[in-house]
Amino acid sequence: MRLKALKAAFPKTIPIMTGFLFLGAAYGIYARTSGLPAQTPIIMALLVFAGSMEFVAVDMLCLPFDPLNAFIMALMVNARHLFYGISMLGKYKKLGAKRWYLIFGLCDESFSINCTAEVPEDVDSGWFYFWVTILNQIYWVTGATVGSLAGSFIKVELPGLEFVMTALLVVIFLDNWLKEKSHSSSVIGLASAFLCLLFFGSESFIIPSMAVIILILTLFRGKIEKAASK
């Protein structure tokens, strides 16, 4: 059962592996060249596992200790995970002990796969979600480890590399678009994000757009599900 789920999950994570290995290595190099010891980015990759926050944390660890600012920054950077978590409650609530790791390991990429993937009927969905999540973390930790170990010897700039994961999420969205029978939920997401971008600006639009998306999907859930089932 577990092996079958692993075989089903691994191909879904291959694009994530490519992005995480490169971006994780960039993070490890960045942390080392910023003056952090080799073990710090590795431990953070294991225990924090929030790529955006890990990059921000490098700068914060190099500044005077300010726990309140660190808390507020972490909340702002990762607030979108509140919406991810709410949307995954139905999938994770009956998975026993596995759900605790699934909650901890929920990142953008694991959410994208577990939320949209069509799990084969002969595969246990709980183990499928588990393997997707843990494989993605393994990729990130591996990349961070390689970058951290190499950071002492490599002095390079990596401009634009952070766009790798943005491009990856766009590809996942397009793949899901091609599989959908109805594009109503995708259109709602795009339109909400675009309007919030206009009103709130590029620095503050993510949380409002997610709130609007959840509100609309909740209000029109019946009609959206009916359209998707046709």
Side-chain angles (χ1 to χ4, degrees):
M1 179 176 61
R2 300 177 185 180
L3 182 59
K4 183 177 290 187
L6 174 59
K7 290 181 179 179
F10 175 68
K12 302 289 186 181
T13 67
I14 291 177
I16 311 296
M17 176 178 64
T18 305
F20 270 17
L21 289 177
F22 280 100
L23 195 58
Y27 159 66
I29 293 172
Y30 175 61
R32 293 291 285 121
T33 55
S34 297
L36 298 182
Q39 68 272 19
T40 299
I42 301 173
I43 294 173
M44 287 176 61
L46 284 167
L47 301 181
V48 179
F49 190 42
S52 301
M53 188 59 212
E54 288 178 54
F55 274 98
V56 174
V58 171
D59 293 328
M60 300 183 74
L61 289 172
C62 296
L63 297 172
F65 183 57
D66 186 354
L68 179 59
N69 183 54
F71 172 77
I72 295 174
M73 181 62 69
L75 183 62
M76 291 178 61
V77 172
N78 292 319
R80 66 189 185 280
H81 289 187
L82 294 171
F83 301 96
Y84 294 168
I86 291 172
S87 65
M88 297 302 286
L89 286 176
K91 290 179 179 288
Y92 289 174
K93 67 179 180 180
K94 296 181 180 180
L95 299 183
K98 290 193 291 294
R99 73 180 185 275
W100 300 114
Y101 175 71
L102 292 171
I103 292 170
F104 163 77
L106 185 64
C107 62
D108 298 355
E109 294 73 21
S110 296
F111 168 77
S112 297
I113 295 176
N114 287 340
C115 185
T116 61
E118 297 179 0
V119 182
E121 294 183 359
D122 59 340
V123 172
D124 182 89
S125 59
W127 282 108
F128 178 89
Y129 302 146
F130 174 83
W131 285 120
V132 166
T133 305
I134 198 170
L135 284 172
N136 286 341
Q137 185 173 15
I138 289 172
Y139 303 149
W140 180 257
V141 173
T142 300
T145 301
V146 172
S148 179
L149 296 177
S152 300
F153 311 100
I154 302 176
K155 308 295 182 182
V156 296
E157 295 184 1
L158 300 170
L161 190 59
E162 66 277 4
F163 186 73
V164 170
M165 299 317 301
T166 302
L168 178 60
L169 290 173
V170 170
V171 172
I172 293 174
F173 171 81
L174 292 175
D175 181 64
N176 185 60
W177 177 280
L178 295 174
K179 294 178 181 178
E180 290 176 335
K181 294 181 179 179
S182 170
H183 300 305
S184 54
S185 58
S186 296
V187 172
I188 290 171
L190 290 172
S192 300
F194 179 72
L195 291 175
C196 288
L197 176 62
L198 294 178
F199 280 103
F200 297 99
S202 60
E203 299 295 327
S204 307
F205 82 100
I206 294 179
I207 294 178
S209 64
M210 288 185 172
V212 171
I213 291 170
I214 288 179
L215 177 62
I216 295 176
L217 292 179
T218 300
L219 292 175
F220 299 97
R221 178 180 176 181
K223 293 182 178 180
I224 294 173
E225 290 180 346
K226 185 177 180 180
S229 62
K230 290 182 178 179

